[in-house]
Amino acid sequence: MIFLDAAATTPVRREVLEAMWPYLSGDFGNPSSHHSLGEAAATALAAARSAVAKVLNCRAGEVTFTSGGTEADNLAVKGIALARQAADPAVNRVAISGVEHPAVEESARYLERVHGFAVDVIPVDGDGLVTVDALKSVLRPETALVSIMYANNEVGTVQPVAELAAAAHELGVPFHTDAVQAAGWLPLDVKELGVDALSMSGHKLGAPKGSGVLFTKGRLRLEPLVHGGGQERGRRSGTENVAGAVALSTALTLASAEQNDAALRVSGLRDRFIAAVLATVPDAVLTGHPSKRLPSVASFCFPGTSGESVLLELERLGVVCSSGSACAAGSDAPSPVLLALGLDAETAQTAVRFSVTSAITPAELEQAAEAVETAVGRVRKLAQT
């Protein structure tokens, strides 16, 4: 079986399992407890926070551990917008791109539905890119927050985050980026990116599901979504997942150390895979930017097929991949991301996404490209009968 669905999740790394195991067994204490077990847990949590801060080039106190990328996105979008509205009721708009993950999109719609915010959707071009001019066209003095993802989870397009953040700051608007897919592949220095908030998820990096991080800059006010004992500096109450924090920090540290070599190697393999598919599958359409894309993602539409049928045929041939966001699994509707790129609904429903880990081999991708040719051919043939 060739696993090409790493954008949905990744296997847990052995080093990560070994690092987190003590906090699932002997050192199982609550980090808020004032005894030796609790203090050991608190020490591990602090070390994990510092390790994440080192990769992000921020202070440890600016790192909040969450249950994953979805919670981190929710906390950023709702928390920042509501805190700014509380300080100034006239600040009642949020700006998001047309290709955001549902965690950001639905958070913005919640603010619209429950708190009276207006949601300004920033258009993207045919490659999924947001331009500075497009962002500036929707910015207003009453904009509470801009949220634009670093790299798209469906088509892999990488946004010019530093330029976009600078444009938002010209009007004094905080900028959040969903870096869930970017982590491990792209630089995460929050000072160089110029962002005020950044979200990550552990299970995209080789940590277990259920761990995430939100960076928030300095004294940026954040309205908590979860209330209780005031853990995580009051930003996110609840007993901390110490093992999850250790796992995420270990996975992030390892991925950061390997990033440059992995990105260079995998981007070359990705380009060969894309070229092979376009050369052997008639009318295949590459989606996303041809060069400003994640090293790990190649996505296509195959007109004359059903994306789901191609997926089933690929699995029979030993290749596991997806039709887009795992968070939209089971939906019959065409991908909003692909529609935002200007594709028609019929074409969008033929989408297939291939995403890899850094362990992918040339032989696996060569075999996968051959399987794509076979699978699409079979599905098209059946559709014509």
Side-chain angles (χ1 to χ4, degrees), residues 322-340:
S322 69
S323 58
S325 173
C327 295
S331 173
D332 292 330
S335 162
V337 168
L338 297 180
L339 297 180

Side-chain angles (χ1 to χ4, degrees), residues 27 36 93 172 312 385:
D27 295 327
S36 58
R93 307 183 76 91
L312 291 172
T385 59

Side-chain angles (χ1 to χ4, degrees), residues 10-20 48 51-52 55 65 183-185 188 200-209 211 243-259 358:
T10 59
V12 179
R13 296 181 60 151
R14 182 179 182 86
E15 305 97 318
V16 171
L17 285 170
E18 292 174 348
M20 69 185 295
V52 172
V55 173
F65 287 112
W185 296 109
L188 294 177
M200 286 189 302
S201 180
H203 76 104
K204 312 293 186 177
L205 291 163
K209 302 166 190 66
S211 60
V246 170
L248 186 152
S249 67
T250 303
L252 179 62
T253 299
L254 290 168
S256 177
E258 299 163 356
Q259 177 185 304
S358 60

Side-chain angles (χ1 to χ4, degrees), residues 247-295:
L248 186 152
S249 67
T250 303
L252 179 62
T253 299
L254 290 168
S256 177
E258 299 163 356
Q259 177 185 304
N260 291 338
D261 290 343
L264 181 63
R265 186 183 77 86
V266 173
S267 61
L269 296 179
R270 173 208 63 197
D271 289 344
R272 285 165 54 185
F273 175 74
I274 290 173
V277 171
L278 293 178
T280 59
V281 181
D283 301 320
V285 177
L286 179 69
T287 57
H289 198 280
S291 59
K292 297 175 182 176
R293 66 188 304 127
L294 284 171

Side-chain angles (χ1 to χ4, degrees), residues 10-365:
T10 59
V12 179
R13 296 181 60 151
R14 182 179 182 86
E15 305 97 318
V16 171
L17 285 170
E18 292 174 348
M20 69 185 295
W21 175 249
Y23 307 99
L24 294 170
S25 53
D27 295 327
F28 57 83
N30 184 325
S32 297
S33 297
H34 298 292
H35 48 58
S36 58
L37 279 176
E39 289 170 1
T43 298
L45 186 65
R49 200 182 309 278
S50 294
V52 172
K54 183 177 181 181
V55 173
L56 298 184
N57 190 23
C58 68
R59 297 194 301 271
E62 296 174 316
V63 172
T64 301
F65 287 112
T66 69
S67 65
T70 290
E71 185 190 347
D73 281 343
N74 272 256
L75 182 54
V77 175
K78 297 174 185 175
I80 295 170
L82 290 174
R84 295 202 71 210
Q85 186 186 59
D88 181 358
V91 178
N92 61 358
R93 307 183 76 91
V94 290
I96 63 172
S97 83
V99 293
E100 292 303 308
H101 188 276
V104 167
E105 162 75 16
E106 292 303 315
S107 292
R109 295 303 174 190
Y110 165 82
L111 291 171
E112 178 183 52
R113 187 174 65 252
V114 178
H115 295 278
F117 278 75
V119 178
D120 295 308
V121 178
I122 311 158
V124 298
D125 65 16
D127 294 325
L129 277 175
V130 176
T131 66
V132 170
D133 287 342
L135 171 58
K136 287 184 174 180
S137 72
V138 306
L139 286 177
R140 304 286 186 273
E142 59 270 28
T143 303
L145 175 71
V146 172
S147 184
I148 300 174
M149 68 193 329
Y150 195 171
N152 187 262
N153 55 303
E154 293 188 39
V155 298
T157 297
V158 176
Q159 302 292 350
V161 167
E163 296 174 23
L164 297 169
H169 291 157
E170 288 179 11
L171 272 185
V173 179
F175 188 98
H176 163 253
T177 190
D178 174 339
V180 167
Q181 295 294 336
W185 296 109
L186 302 175
L188 294 177
D189 186 320
V190 294
K191 291 185 173 62
E192 291 186 2
L193 292 173
V195 298
D196 302 285
L198 178 146
S199 305
M200 286 189 302
S201 180
H203 76 104
K204 312 293 186 177
L205 291 163
K209 302 166 190 66
S211 60
V213 156
L214 175 64
F215 154 78
T216 46
K217 183 178 179 180
R219 297 184 180 277
L220 182 67
R221 294 184 60 189
L222 193 69
E223 179 65 32
L225 306 185
V226 180
H227 301 90
Q231 290 90 344
E232 294 297 294
R233 293 178 180 249
R235 300 188 191 112
R236 199 263 189 188
S237 291
T239 302
E240 297 94 341
N241 177 2
V242 178
V246 170
L248 186 152
S249 67
T250 303
L252 179 62
T253 299
L254 290 168
S256 177
E258 299 163 356
Q259 177 185 304
N260 291 338
D261 290 343
L264 181 63
R265 186 183 77 86
V266 173
S267 61
L269 296 179
R270 173 208 63 197
D271 289 344
R272 285 165 54 185
F273 175 74
I274 290 173
V277 171
L278 293 178
T280 59
V281 181
D283 301 320
V285 177
L286 179 69
T287 57
H289 198 280
S291 59
K292 297 175 182 176
R293 66 188 304 127
L294 284 171
S296 55
V297 173
S299 54
F300 303 89
C301 286
F302 300 114
T305 72
S306 155
E308 293 295 331
S309 297
V310 173
L311 290 181
L312 291 172
E313 195 61 41
L314 282 170
E315 188 163 5
R316 292 190 187 98
L317 294 168
V319 177
V320 173
C321 51
S322 69
S323 58
S325 173
C327 295
S331 173
D332 292 330
S335 162
V337 168
L338 297 180
L339 297 180
L341 269 59
L343 295 172
D344 61 82
E346 184 177 358
T347 300
Q349 289 183 308
T350 71
V352 178
R353 177 188 68 184
F354 305 89
S355 51
V356 303
T357 70
S358 60
I360 194 70
T361 67
E364 287 175 321
L365 282 181

